[in-house]
Amino acid sequence: MSIEQLLAKRERLLGPNNPLFYEEPLHLVKGEGVWVTDADGRRYLDCYNNVPCVGHCHPRVVDAISRQAAQLNTHTRYLHENILNYAEKLLATFDDSLDRMMLGCTGS
């Protein structure tokens, strides 16, 4: 699909007020480590999409997501031990004054 076709489809399905980066939008098709690849095979160093944390397609993250999705895929408005275990582990890495957390699905 051409960039023009993708842009038209995107506007039709997501609306005209859904911004993109760059004057010439990137059509990304793959990510690995700190790199993203466009539909023409050009690689770009990704300094934006949470790459400093673990990179794209990190095998341990992919495995953890796969295992959890095979068991349960829900949000925090139900009781589930995994979110509590995660909260304990994460909060233990911070100063004691940070003793609670709230998760949100914001894309950040």
Side-chain angles (χ1 to χ4, degrees):
M1 196 177 290
S2 72
I3 293 291
E4 292 76 22
Q5 290 170 317
L6 285 170
L7 287 170
K9 187 173 186 178
R10 178 185 169 92
E11 184 170 333
R12 180 173 55 84
L13 296 171
L14 304 181
N17 297 318
N18 205 327
L20 286 167
F21 289 131
Y22 311 115
E23 224 171 275
E24 290 184 39
L26 292 174
H27 176 195
L28 299 179
V29 296
K30 181 181 175 186
E32 184 176 355
V34 298
W35 299 100
V36 289
T37 305
D38 72 10
D40 295 322
R42 288 183 297 249
R43 288 177 20 141
Y44 301 85
L45 178 63
D46 188 351
C47 299
Y48 184 75
N49 287 298
N50 300 318
V51 171
C53 298
V54 295
H56 292 279
C57 305
H58 190 288
R60 287 179 54 199
V61 174
V62 170
D63 179 59
I65 291 169
S66 297
R67 283 185 284 113
Q68 184 59 47
Q71 180 185 32
L72 178 65
N73 187 5
T74 189
H75 49 74
T76 60
R77 294 188 181 200
Y78 298 102
L79 289 176
H80 192 270
E81 290 178 29
N82 281 358
I83 192 63
L84 302 176
N85 295 337
Y86 174 70
E88 280 181 331
K89 288 179 184 178
L90 184 62
L91 289 169
T93 68
F94 295 116
D95 180 84
D96 288 341
S97 63
L98 297 171
D99 62 354
R100 292 184 186 105
M101 62 184 272
M102 175 185 261
L103 299 176
C105 182
T106 65
S108 63

